[in-house]
Amino acid sequence: LAKTTQPPSMEAYEGQEVNVSCSHTNIATSEYIYWYRQVPHQGPQFIIQGYKDYVVNEVASLFISADRKLSTLSLPWVSLRDAAVYYCIVTDRGNNAGAKLTFGGGTRLTVRP
Amino acid sequence: GGIITQTPKFLIGQEGQKLTLKCQQNFNHDTMYWYRQDSGKGLRLIYYSITENDLQKGDLSEGYDASREKKSSFSLTVTSAQKNEMAVFLCASSTGTANSDYTFGSGTRLLVI
């Protein structure tokens, strides 16, 4: 059973705000939520992480529902450079913190000029 | 800032050949990982290592060996390359502590002829 469910693809125009959703209905109390993105010919790049409520950094913001079963990555004012595959990951930090970062299929974001 | 370097960037091998991929990081990170990514798919964990000389199997370890000779380097060996195999192998590192994100290399692209 997949730990996360994301839409396989999304489209947006430059300058729009994009919200990428991720469902993690079986998230455990010890698990954190991470978002990464991958552009062609590069490894994934960390965007943001959170446990609950709302997190913001210079790149994106992350809203996590009260029951933690749903998270939404928000990208303000997307540009062509934001075209990438966005991965939502939940993982237990545990004793081997970060040891099992499991990637699903991700959401492919297409940005049109 | 640090860097994670994978060599070679491209690797062409022959069926049955043993092939070795190398990864170096200068972040002084404790934990290192090897992932495989097939075209259009997410990443799958092959091996990881939480400290020098440690090895932990991931979901895809069969057909691979790994070696963590020192803290800064982690190598992966394809024990017997499969004909027509084509994939990208991504190395990553992290501090392994809570709130740690992963840093990925740019990958080694493998083609077996």
Side-chain angles (χ1 to χ4, degrees):
Chain A
L1 185 66
K3 293 187 95 171
T4 62
T5 303
Q6 302 175 236
S9 62
M10 297 182 69
E11 286 190 8
Y13 287 95
E14 276 194 295
Q16 283 186 319
E17 179 184 67
V18 171
N19 296 308
V20 187
S21 64
C22 181
S23 170
H24 24 79
T25 54
N26 296 319
I27 189 169
T29 53
S30 58
E31 290 182 317
Y32 285 70
I33 300 155
Y34 296 80
W35 284 85
Y36 281 74
R37 72 176 173 190
Q38 187 179 24
V39 298
H41 310 301
Q42 294 288 327
Q45 183 180 32
F46 172 77
I47 302 172
I48 198 167
Q49 68 166 350
Y51 184 79
K52 64 178 181 178
D53 300 330
Y54 184 73
V55 183
V56 62
N57 63 21
E58 62 275 9
V59 177
S61 57
L62 176 62
F63 172 77
I64 302 166
S65 64
D67 60 7
R68 302 201 329 119
K69 293 180 186 295
L70 180 70
S71 62
T72 303
L73 175 74
S74 182
L75 305 169
W77 301 96
V78 294
S79 70
L80 295 176
R81 291 178 299 176
D82 293 315
V85 178
Y86 288 80
Y87 294 100
C88 166
I89 300 156
V90 297
T91 190
D92 189 345
R93 298 315 304 223
N95 291 324
N96 290 331
K100 289 250 182 183
L101 211 57
T102 302
F103 288 76
T107 297
R108 181 174 298 276
L109 174 65
T110 301
V111 181
R112 303 198 183 282
Chain B
I3 190 168
I4 184 164
T5 304
Q6 292 187 235
T7 55
K9 292 190 184 304
F10 298 94
L11 183 56
I12 298 176
Q14 293 185 320
E15 184 181 13
Q17 194 175 4
K18 180 185 287 188
L19 302 166
T20 299
L21 291 67
K22 295 187 182 294
C23 179
Q24 297 265 352
Q25 52 95 3
N26 63 1
F27 294 100
N28 200 34
H29 283 168
D30 288 311
T31 311
M32 296 185 73
Y33 314 81
W34 276 106
Y35 284 87
R36 173 184 168 128
Q37 186 172 33
D38 292 279
S39 181
K41 303 287 180 60
L43 284 70
R44 291 183 289 173
L45 182 64
I46 305 172
Y47 269 99
Y48 64 100
S49 167
I50 61 175
T51 189
E52 184 178 334
N53 294 319
D54 174 74
L55 282 179
Q56 310 277 345
K57 291 184 177 181
D59 300 322
L60 201 67
S61 61
E62 189 170 336
Y64 302 94
D65 286 328
S67 175
R68 184 83 181 274
E69 308 90 2
K70 49 186 178 180
K71 188 175 183 179
S72 61
S73 68
F74 192 30
S75 60
L76 179 73
T77 299
V78 180
T79 56
S80 180
Q82 301 299 303
K83 189 173 175 63
N84 297 324
E85 182 175 8
M86 188 166 64
V88 176
F89 292 85
L90 289 157
C91 176
S93 70
S94 78
T95 63
T97 59
N99 299 320
S100 170
D101 57 270
Y102 283 31
T103 301
F104 280 85
S106 297
T108 293
R109 285 153 184 78
L110 171 66
L111 174 63
V112 181
I113 56 177

